């Protein structure tokens, strides 16, 4: 069955051996837990898609340690990409480069680009340093389910299907990395995250944001799928629509069911006495708690009534994008 082990040296050696043997291992990063496989092993990479039920056209991110020589994997690295690496890695930033094809086609879904990330979390760095190969890893959840931020979340989705999960506690970041295409003259955000447009502009000067239109092929296929969905009913309102949220809450109470509000602290203060999944105060706290609270709501609530936090720029881009897709 699936073991959950602390990130001691001996257990990381076990993880390394499994990975080099073509097996899958769950491991923590500062954003969410990843489901790792040897990125040069076709069979192991295919297994990720099978175990997750992931669509075969949604490519994987290759994870390497902070001293890894990226030119082994990708070519034509632009000077501004080096500046971004210096400024924000290791960290929650994924960069899309032209691939050299070392990481197998199964992981890049036949694209000629490769997404690379150097996670900051100590346990992830240690494991990646030990294996010293690219570990491809999507978020360690069943496809379409909420991303995992604890080892237990990974266990709940994959018990019996993978041999090992390395436990590094709750992920601090809480939402997936920013995905940034750095193949063009100007970088382009494909998926919003904790490294914001403003932070990228500070280093590079300019930064585009990809607009994903229905029916068009997305540059980052993953953003087109229904994602992050809790297995309970959900509803989403803005703060101006809070009366509607309250009416829905009362309706559930009258039916003898358990509704929960999910909201930031400023709204929670107005809802004392109600069942609450409070996300915290600051943008960073909200990001860090979002998936954790969605998974908690899944356990406790008959409906999660989410109230959008008030904010639009910076980290809120990433938060709202996830929240809307989870609760629409
Ligand atoms: P996940 O690992 O589940 O958080 O998803 C990884 C995200 O990175 C998805 O949105 C993918 O579509 C995106 N991604 C991975 N590789 C590439 C690539 N080569 N080009 C563009 N997007 C990518
Ligand atoms: Mg994912």
């Amino acid at each position: 069955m699936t073991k959950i082990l602390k990130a001691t040296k001996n257990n990381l050696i076990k993880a390394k051996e499994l990975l080099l043997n073509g097996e899958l291992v769950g491991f923590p990063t500062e954003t969410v837990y990843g489901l790792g496989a040897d990125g040069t092993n076709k069979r192991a990479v295919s297994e990720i898609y099978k175990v997750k039920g992931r669509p075969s056209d949604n490519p994987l991110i290759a994870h390497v340690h902070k001293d890894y020589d990226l030119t082994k994997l990708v070519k034509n690295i632009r000077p501004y990409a080096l500046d971004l690496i210096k400024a924000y890695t290791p960290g929650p930033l994924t960069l899309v480069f032209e691939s050299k094809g070392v990481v197998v086609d199964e992981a890049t879904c036949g694209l000629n680009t490769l997404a690379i990330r150097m996670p900051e979390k100590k346990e992830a760095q240690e494991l990646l340093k030990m294996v010293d190969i690219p570990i491809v890893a999507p978020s360690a959840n069943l496809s379409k389910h909420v991303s995992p931020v604890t080892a237990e979340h990974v266990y709940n989705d994959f018990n019996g299907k993978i041999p090992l999960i390395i436990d590094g506690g709750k992920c601090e970041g809480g939402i997936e990395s920013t995905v940034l295409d750095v193949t063009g003259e100007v970088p382009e955000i494909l998926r919003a995250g904790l490294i914001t447009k403003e932070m990228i502009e500070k280093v590079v000067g300019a930064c585009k944001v990809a607009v994903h239109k229905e029916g068009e092929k997305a540059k980052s296929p993953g953003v087109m799928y229904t994602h992050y969905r809790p297995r309970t009913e959900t509803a989403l309102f803005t703060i101006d629509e809070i009366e509607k949220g309250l009416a829905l809450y009362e309706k559930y109470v009258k039916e003898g069911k358990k509704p929960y509000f999910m909201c930031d602290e400023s709204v929670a203060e107005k809802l004392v006495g109600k069942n609450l999944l409070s996300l915290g105060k600051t943008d960073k706290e909200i990001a860090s708690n979002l998936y954790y609270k969605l998974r908690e709501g899944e356990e406790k609530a008959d409906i999660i009534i989410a109230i959008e936090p008030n904010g639009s720029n910076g980290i809120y881009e990433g938060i709202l994008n996830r929240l809307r897709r989870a609760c629409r």
Side-chain angles (χ1 to χ4, degrees), residues 32 52 54 58 138-141 145 147-148 176 191 227-228:
V32 303
K52 268 190 68 113
R54 185 173 175 101
N58 189 7
S139 48
N141 52 281
H145 194 205
S147 293
E176 299 87 345
R191 176 176 75 186
H227 206 326
Y228 324 115

Side-chain angles (χ1 to χ4, degrees), residues 157-186:
D157 279 15
F158 294 117
N159 181 24
K161 294 188 181 141
I162 60 173
L164 175 62
I165 302 162
I166 293 294
D167 187 351
K170 180 171 174 250
C171 303
E172 313 80 43
I175 58 172
E176 299 87 345
S177 60
T178 303
V179 178
L180 187 72
D181 183 345
V182 292
T183 60
E185 251 167 60
V186 176

Side-chain angles (χ1 to χ4, degrees), residues 32 52 54 57-63 94 96-97 107-108 111-116 137-141 147 176-177 179 181 190-191 218-225 227-228:
V32 303
K52 268 190 68 113
R54 185 173 175 101
D57 63 348
N58 189 7
L60 305 176
I61 296 169
H63 295 70
T94 295
V96 176
F97 297 98
T108 53
L111 296 171
N112 55 12
T113 53
L114 175 68
I116 297 190
S139 48
N141 52 281
S147 293
E176 299 87 345
S177 60
V179 178
D181 183 345
L190 305 183
R191 176 176 75 186
K219 286 190 191 160
S220 190
V223 297
M224 297 304 274
Y225 297 108
H227 206 326
Y228 324 115

